[in-house]
Amino acid sequence: MSLDLAAETPPHAPDKPPADGPARAPLTPNTLRTVVRELAERPEQWIHLVRLSTEERWYQRLVADDDHEVWLISWLPGQSTGFHDHGGSRGAFAVALGELEELSLGGPEQGLLIRRIPAGTARAFGPEYVHDVRNTASGPAVTLHAYSPPLSSMAHYDLRAGGLVRTSEEGPEQW
Ligand SMILES: [Fe+2]
């Protein structure tokens, strides 16, 4: 018996890469952290854009590149993301003004981790990371976020007794 391997080949498989070449490799979390940290230290580049919204977190994309994107976000006291992933993108965020709190699940020994993230600090994470970021302070906060590859989807989760349970997913059309 012989296998017909040719039948396994998709009919439209390209025999060479497209003219613009293969997609660029994603930036590392460390590189993304440098991007947001440096931007957070240069408020003259974004402070005039910042708005505050009582409806929900306000956000605006500052950079939309092939291999990464950068968002500017403002947080009023009490505003939060809920637990979410980043659709397989790596990411980093820096607090430029104010202070945030980040919740994530550590290993079985650690349970729920709560980190205070004051102005001047940044966090970076890999493609599987899930967290909840919130402004529990008494004043507004402003943050810079970078993702690579650019965000394609985000799933939301509920934290229940057994762990995180995926509840919904959103795409760029919701942003
Ligand atoms: Fe996030």
Side-chain angles (χ1 to χ4, degrees), residues 62-142:
L62 299 181
V63 176
D65 217 341
D66 284 349
D67 59 359
H68 77 290
E69 63 183 353
V70 177
W71 293 79
L72 174 65
I73 302 183
S74 74
W75 314 63
L76 285 173
Q79 290 182 332
S80 67
T81 60
F83 279 99
H84 64 279
D85 65 22
H86 309 87
S89 293
R90 295 148 177 79
F93 65 101
V95 177
L97 298 167
E99 178 179 309
L100 293 180
E101 187 176 84
E102 181 193 37
L103 281 65
S104 63
L105 278 189
E109 306 288 310
Q110 298 172 299
L112 186 64
L113 302 176
I114 303 177
R115 292 183 185 83
R116 211 173 59 84
I117 311 175
T121 58
R123 298 269 305 145
F125 49 84
E128 308 298 328
Y129 196 58
V130 174
H131 63 171
D132 178 7
V133 184
R134 43 179 71 180
N135 183 358
T136 54
S138 56
V142 177

Side-chain angles (χ1 to χ4, degrees), residues 25-175:
L27 305 185
T28 66
N30 272 341
T31 301
L32 295 168
R33 181 180 8 228
T34 301
V35 167
V36 292
R37 193 175 259 162
E38 290 184 349
L39 206 45
E41 290 168 358
R42 293 177 174 78
E44 69 278 7
Q45 294 190 11
W46 46 261
I47 193 77
H48 57 287
L49 301 171
V50 175
R51 302 288 181 270
L52 298 171
S53 167
T54 55
E55 309 263 307
E56 57 176 349
R57 285 168 298 121
W58 171 91
Y59 47 86
Q60 181 172 322
R61 187 157 48 191
L62 299 181
V63 176
D65 217 341
D66 284 349
D67 59 359
H68 77 290
E69 63 183 353
V70 177
W71 293 79
L72 174 65
I73 302 183
S74 74
W75 314 63
L76 285 173
Q79 290 182 332
S80 67
T81 60
F83 279 99
H84 64 279
D85 65 22
H86 309 87
S89 293
R90 295 148 177 79
F93 65 101
V95 177
L97 298 167
E99 178 179 309
L100 293 180
E101 187 176 84
E102 181 193 37
L103 281 65
S104 63
L105 278 189
E109 306 288 310
Q110 298 172 299
L112 186 64
L113 302 176
I114 303 177
R115 292 183 185 83
R116 211 173 59 84
I117 311 175
T121 58
R123 298 269 305 145
F125 49 84
E128 308 298 328
Y129 196 58
V130 174
H131 63 171
D132 178 7
V133 184
R134 43 179 71 180
N135 183 358
T136 54
S138 56
V142 177
T143 50
L144 284 307
H145 301 244
Y147 305 101
S148 182
L151 288 175
S152 57
S153 65
M154 287 175 68
H156 292 269
Y157 300 78
D158 275 352
L159 180 58
R160 301 189 185 154
L164 291 168
V165 177
R166 188 182 176 111
T167 54
S168 64
E169 182 170 324
E170 59 180 288
E173 63 279 3
Q174 273 101 33
W175 302 334

Side-chain angles (χ1 to χ4, degrees), residues 1-5:
M1 184 182 113
S2 67
L3 291 173
D4 184 5
L5 293 176

